[in-house]
Amino acid sequence: MGKDRIELIIKSLAERNIEGFFFESFEEAKLKVMEIIPINDSVGIGNSITLKNMKISNELNDRGNVVYDKTLAKSKEDSKELKRKSLLTDWYITGTNAITLDGHLVNIDHSGNRVAAMLYGPNNVIVIIGINKITSTLDEAIYRVRNIASPKNARRAGFKPPCVELEKCIDCKSTQRVCNSLVVIEGQNDKGRMKVFIVNEKDGF
Ligand code: SF4
């Protein structure tokens, strides 16, 4: 990925009141996360392969932060409670399904907790994204989240909507549908609330 494209995204984000940062590796990005989040602050975690692979949840928990991570839930009720508690944390850490050169963040969500926390609730939001999720345009980003991210996420979560077999979205009305909210974040009201960490590696869908 050319540095000029990353610089363009960071500039576009700044125009949208979102802070952009560039890291060479997920490890470097994790060190920054651990540095800027105070140890007494609470943290909600959005479900993301990238974050799982980074082991952010475990490391924050081990050093004493209160962490709400629904992927560690022991039951459906527990999961629901963790998702609700994540909405009022000091920090929320999540991935995103796509980002455009113009600074749009595009996400599709199943129950909506992840996009809800990105939009409002947590005082601070950190979005961590690998370069494989960068798209040139908003149309491309929406195509990506519908036809690449969603079928793979559905398969990973054990759901069986038509796209799992077809490997493309047909805007199904299946009870197994995993795409109930398509959200485009175009800016932030509170300056400094949202930080986007762009990492020069590939991970996640
Ligand atoms: S709307 Fe249905 S077919 Fe399309 S990506 Fe979502 S779950 Fe798959």
Side-chain angles (χ1 to χ4, degrees), residues 26-27 30 48-56 203-204:
F26 285 107
E27 194 56 36
K30 182 166 70 176
S48 149
I49 290 185
T50 303
L51 297 185
K52 270 279 165 220
N53 291 340
M54 290 171 80
K55 298 189 172 64
I56 277 191
D203 199 19

Side-chain angles (χ1 to χ4, degrees), residues 146 150-151 161-163 168-172 176-179:
R146 282 200 189 285
S150 294
C163 57
K168 66 174 184 181
C169 175
I170 57 164
D171 191 17
C172 74
Q176 299 277 301
R177 180 177 170 125
V178 294
C179 316

Side-chain angles (χ1 to χ4, degrees), residues 1-3 6 9 21-31 49-51 53-54 96 99 128-134 144 197-205:
M1 172 67 54
K3 282 273 169 63
I6 309 258
I9 297 172
F21 300 84
F22 174 72
F23 299 92
E24 283 295 347
S25 67
F26 285 107
E27 194 56 36
E28 231 182 70
K30 182 166 70 176
L31 287 176
I49 290 185
T50 303
L51 297 185
N53 291 340
M54 290 171 80
T96 186
I99 189 169
I128 302 179
I129 181 169
I131 50 167
N132 51 313
K133 296 186 181 174
I134 295 173
R144 181 183 198 287
F197 288 10
I198 303 166
V199 179
N200 199 18
E201 291 185 317
K202 297 179 181 177
D203 199 19
F205 304 142

